[in-house]
Amino acid sequence: MSLKSKILDDKAISRAITRIAYEIIERNKGVEDLILIGIKTRGYPLAERLSNRIREIENIDIPFYPLDITFYRDDLSLVEENPIVEENISIENINDKKVVLVDDVIYTGRTIRAALDALIQIGRPSKVQLAVLIDRGHRELPIRADYVGKNTPTSKFENIKVNLEEIDGKDEINIIKRKN
């Protein structure tokens, strides 16, 4: 694999998170009954950043939680022979709450479908919205993001590599070209 281009640096990621935070507040007419749930791995630190940004704007703490979707994936047997999964028991009651699922990249939509399945096992929210940092296209399921940091059309021979400070030690998003 080789680097094709850098699409977002740390400042651009920060601006995208700020824009998404304002859009969430505006679309929901405030933040009452709002919960952010980050899809592990990189969706969780993004949910925390959104929560922090919303607190800066609205002066209200918004709860955020991680969501492990491993057992809900339709490709589980291809991913890991013996997966280690954390239970999603720490998520508060989501019944009748507005839940914003947060992830780094939306591609085929299968990860989001798995997240919705996991979410329904936890409770029945009044509304579920989706916030992603990158939408790269190529949907296989009828799923779309409500909040998008950047639309980045890619070929099927490219990958998006998201690096976040909390996990990777730096903030940047790159397009990586796969060898055919």
Side-chain angles (χ1 to χ4, degrees):
M1 293 196 192
S2 63
L3 176 66
K4 179 179 176 189
S5 64
K6 181 182 287 193
I7 53 176
L8 293 178
D9 61 13
D10 58 337
K11 288 182 173 52
I13 291 171
S14 180
R15 284 190 301 271
I17 290 170
T18 298
R19 186 176 66 258
I20 291 170
Y22 275 106
E23 289 175 4
I24 289 170
I25 295 165
E26 185 175 325
R27 183 171 296 173
N28 290 289
K29 297 176 177 51
V31 294
E32 186 177 341
D33 292 326
L34 188 70
I35 297 175
L36 303 174
I37 297 182
I39 300 170
K40 290 183 92 177
T41 297
R42 287 173 180 78
Y44 181 60
L46 291 172
E48 181 176 15
R49 290 183 191 191
L50 278 169
S51 176
N52 292 338
R53 196 62 47 91
I54 290 170
R55 182 180 55 246
E56 291 170 4
I57 299 165
E58 293 287 302
N59 201 27
I60 296 173
D61 286 329
I62 302 302
F64 62 95
Y65 302 94
L67 182 66
D68 190 336
I69 62 162
T70 304
F71 279 146
Y72 298 91
R73 294 178 61 99
D74 61 5
D75 63 350
L76 181 59
S77 62
L78 302 174
V79 175
E80 181 92 30
E81 189 171 317
N82 296 309
I84 298 171
V85 180
E86 294 178 28
E87 289 191 47
N88 296 312
I89 56 174
S90 66
I91 297 177
E92 75 175 43
N93 181 356
I94 64 170
N95 292 331
D96 301 318
K97 304 281 186 174
K98 294 178 250 180
V99 171
V100 178
L101 280 174
V102 182
D103 205 6
D104 56 348
V105 177
I106 186 169
Y107 180 41
T108 63
R110 293 182 182 280
T111 296
I112 305 309
R113 186 216 42 92
L116 291 169
D117 289 347
L119 202 58
I120 297 307
Q121 293 294 313
I122 296 166
R124 186 176 168 88
S126 65
K127 182 187 291 188
V128 178
Q129 299 170 340
L130 175 61
V132 298
L133 205 48
I134 301 291
D135 183 341
R136 64 173 287 195
H138 303 285
R139 220 67 84 240
E140 294 175 1
L141 298 173
I143 293 174
R144 68 165 179 78
D146 299 284
Y147 312 102
V148 177
K150 183 170 180 68
N151 286 295
T152 306
T154 60
S155 83
K156 292 193 178 213
F157 301 106
E158 297 171 330
N159 286 341
I160 300 286
K161 175 64 176 141
V162 176
N163 292 303
L164 296 177
E165 181 71 37
E166 298 88 339
I167 296 165
D168 309 297
K170 61 182 173 183
D171 281 346
E172 69 178 13
I173 302 175
N174 299 308
I175 297 177
I176 306 295
K177 183 139 177 87
R178 286 185 278 169
K179 298 202 188 319
N180 297 346

